[in-house]
Amino acid sequence: MDVLSLSRLQFTATSMFHFIFVPLTLGLSIMVAYMESRYVASGDELYLKMTKFWGKLFLINFALGVVTGLTMEFQFGMNWAEYSRYVGDIFGAPLAIEATVAFFLESVFIGVWIFGWNKISKRMHAISIWLVALATNLSALWILVANGWMQHPVGFELRNGRAEMVDFGAILTNPYGLIKFGHTVLSGYAVAAFFVMGISAWHLLRGNRTDFFKRSFAMGARFGLVASLLVFMTGDFHAVEIAKTQPTKFAAMESVWETRSNVGMNLFLLPDEQRECNAVERLCIPNMVSYLAFHLPNAEIKGLKEFPKEERPPVALTFFSFRLMAGMGTFIMLASLAATIFSWRDHLEQRKWFLRVMLLALPIPYLACQFGWLVAEVGRQPWIVYGVLKTAAGVSSAIVTPQVIASLVGFVLLYGMLGAADIFLLFKYARKGPDDDLSTMIQNTREEV
């Protein structure tokens, strides 16, 4: 493999591994903040125990997310130095704001939250975790603004062989980035909801702390239902934006080869890239693809044959990733609805079949997020900045294959150990359940941190 292929593989591996932790951090920070707010408002110590239990799992996940995220930015200056030279004026601005504003806000107040128990007022302590949640989601905003610019570049001019920013407001308000932010963050909320429901289901199946985990499950169910409905809505907005700004990606997502109007959606479809057609097309929903693209049943969809082969993304990978993401998203919405209904009724712990389903469903939102990122990044190819800079032109000319192989092996080993540590710690403390002695619980959390 050459430097380009290895660098792409390395960034894919590190970014997808990092994205295991990001969605849970986004959603669980909100849920823990809500739990503590309920405790402050009501004085109910069950909410305090929920805050401490789920907060401990949040901290474990948060720490791994920070560590795995740091290495990604170094790759922009090493493997992708040409990309950074070409668009650094634009891409670097939102990342700098993320680091100097959101990340520092997050770091300061997570320290206040960890070490502030019984040292500051209950209200201020709850505010500190809300500030952590706000900063965490602001970090995602700036990162996705940067990624949104890569998907749909605006507010720049090409000067002296480089892309230079001329309108920061256009970059900040880029519809592609803002819609992507909403869709991604809400997907993270669904991950957190299923994380809470899955662990709660495990304990309820064993009859552990029924009151505690029934309340946790119910909270996760309501949070997941709202999040999944909003994910569906923002996904519709995102599809329209993709069809408008990235027609090659949209055509690959739906495997449309010929330009035509009134395009239907085949529920069973198998792309054939070699023959530039679909080998299987069954159970067509009339006009559905046209409606998804432009909210008009007779809208024209540009087919892949309209574009040179070298400017088309990998069709099969984009198509199947999109179908899997959409299918899992539908399951998440229906499962959240069922969980909300069942949690409103008594005897949730007696519905063992459903609790087993929710336990086994815990990884599904994680997988949906990963497939969504594959659609976003693979579907943009062969462009690293859509329509402006091709991926092959962004790789550094100063590195050689053995260097990339060595760093790739190093990342795999390091991330493998970090992943094992994360799974061990999450499993250990999730299985243990909440402590009854609140003073001991607080002291143990400080010592572990």
Side-chain angles (χ1 to χ4, degrees):
M1 297 178 71
D2 58 11
V3 169
L4 173 62
S5 300
L6 287 168
S7 295
R8 293 176 70 179
L9 178 61
Q10 179 173 287
F11 197 82
T12 299
T14 54
S15 60
M16 293 187 73
F17 187 83
H18 173 62
F19 203 62
I20 294 172
F21 307 101
V22 171
L24 182 59
T25 297
L26 292 170
L28 201 53
S29 63
I30 298 288
M31 295 190 71
V32 170
Y34 177 75
M35 291 170 188
E36 186 166 3
S37 297
R38 290 296 302 270
Y39 163 66
V40 172
S42 67
D44 187 343
E45 289 197 346
L46 186 58
Y47 282 115
L48 177 59
K49 292 178 181 180
M50 290 170 64
T51 302
K52 296 302 300 182
F53 175 70
W54 297 111
K56 184 181 294 184
L57 301 182
F58 164 73
L59 290 175
I60 294 168
N61 183 82
F62 176 83
L64 268 292
V66 171
V67 172
T68 56
L70 290 174
T71 59
M72 292 176 60
E73 295 195 18
F74 288 114
Q75 293 179 63
F76 290 122
M78 296 187 297
N79 302 61
W80 302 99
E82 289 302 314
Y83 163 77
S84 297
R85 184 196 66 80
Y86 193 84
V87 302
D89 285 356
I90 304 167
F91 188 77
L95 293 186
I97 296 171
E98 185 272 334
T100 57
V101 178
F103 182 71
F104 277 98
L105 180 67
E106 185 179 41
S107 303
V108 168
F109 282 98
I110 202 165
V112 172
W113 188 74
I114 293 169
F115 298 105
W117 291 99
N118 298 329
K119 294 178 186 277
I120 57 177
S121 69
K122 293 178 181 179
R123 188 182 300 274
M124 288 305 300
H125 195 267
I127 290 173
S128 69
I129 189 62
W130 275 113
L131 289 172
V132 171
L134 173 65
T136 298
N137 284 263
L138 279 177
S139 287
L141 172 63
W142 291 112
I143 291 168
L144 290 167
V145 163
N147 185 267
W149 183 84
M150 294 169 66
Q151 305 282 350
H152 177 51
V154 295
F156 76 102
E157 290 182 1
L158 295 176
R159 298 172 181 166
N160 303 317
R162 298 175 68 248
E164 297 183 4
M165 184 189 304
V166 296
D167 189 348
F168 181 70
I171 296 170
L172 182 59
T173 59
N174 185 356
Y176 199 109
L178 295 179
I179 295 171
K180 188 179 182 69
F181 165 72
H183 191 60
T184 304
V185 166
L186 290 165
S187 299
Y189 296 174
V191 168
F194 272 68
F195 181 82
V196 170
M197 286 192 288
I199 293 173
S200 298
W202 188 88
H203 283 280
L204 290 171
L205 285 168
R206 287 155 180 78
N208 300 337
R209 303 297 303 272
T210 302
D211 290 343
F212 180 95
F213 286 107
K214 282 178 68 175
R215 191 176 295 186
S216 294
F217 188 95
M219 187 179 295
R222 293 191 295 270
F223 193 66
L225 179 60
V226 173
S228 61
L229 290 172
L230 291 174
V231 167
F232 180 83
M233 183 177 68
T234 55
D236 177 63
F237 296 157
H238 202 24
V240 173
E241 189 66 22
I242 290 171
K244 181 172 66 175
T245 60
Q246 292 184 316
T248 51
K249 178 188 287 187
F250 188 85
M253 285 163 54
E254 298 293 350
S255 192
V256 177
W257 295 93
E258 304 286 349
T259 298
R260 63 184 192 275
S261 303
N262 303 98
V263 180
M265 175 183 287
N266 292 281
L267 298 182
F268 295 95
L269 191 149
L270 183 62
D272 186 340
E273 292 188 65
Q274 296 297 322
R275 295 191 298 162
E276 298 186 327
C277 65
N278 296 322
V280 176
E281 292 182 349
R282 297 287 186 275
L283 298 180
C284 181
I285 303 175
N287 306 326
M288 180 57 73
V289 172
S290 290
Y291 186 81
L292 289 175
F294 298 104
H295 289 173
L296 295 171
N298 61 345
E300 181 182 87
I301 306 298
K302 284 188 176 181
L304 288 162
K305 291 183 180 180
E306 287 281 329
F307 308 94
K309 286 186 177 182
E310 63 273 13
E311 293 186 6
R312 301 175 193 169
V315 178
L317 182 56
T318 305
F319 170 79
F320 286 115
S321 296
F322 175 69
R323 285 290 174 103
L324 287 167
M325 178 197 69
M328 290 178 180
T330 302
F331 170 83
I332 290 166
M333 187 166 52
L334 295 176
S336 297
L337 176 61
T340 302
I341 293 171
F342 289 147
S343 64
W344 276 342
R345 301 177 180 179
D346 292 333
H347 311 301
L348 174 65
E349 69 276 13
Q350 296 178 10
R351 299 181 184 274
K352 295 190 181 296
W353 67 270
F354 184 70
L355 293 174
R356 292 190 185 97
V357 169
M358 295 308 294
L359 175 59
L360 294 174
L362 195 156
I364 290 179
Y366 283 95
L367 293 172
C369 286
Q370 295 288 349
F371 284 121
W373 271 109
L374 282 175
V375 173
E377 301 307 302
V378 173
R380 188 182 66 230
Q381 299 305 314
W383 304 97
I384 193 169
V385 179
Y386 191 81
V388 175
L389 181 68
K390 289 195 172 181
T391 305
V395 72
S396 174
S397 58
I399 57 175
V400 294
T401 299
Q403 292 174 322
V404 187
I405 292 175
S407 60
L408 177 58
V409 171
F411 279 132
V412 169
L413 294 175
L414 174 63
Y415 280 19
M417 290 187 292
L418 290 174
D422 179 69
I423 292 171
F424 170 78
L425 291 171
L426 286 176
F427 182 79
K428 174 184 176 181
Y429 289 108
R431 183 177 182 179
K432 181 180 178 182
D435 290 327
D436 288 318
D437 186 343
L438 293 177
S439 60
T440 301
M441 186 195 316
I442 294 167
Q443 182 61 33
N444 287 344
T445 300
R446 288 178 183 158
E447 291 174 356
E448 287 157 10
V449 172

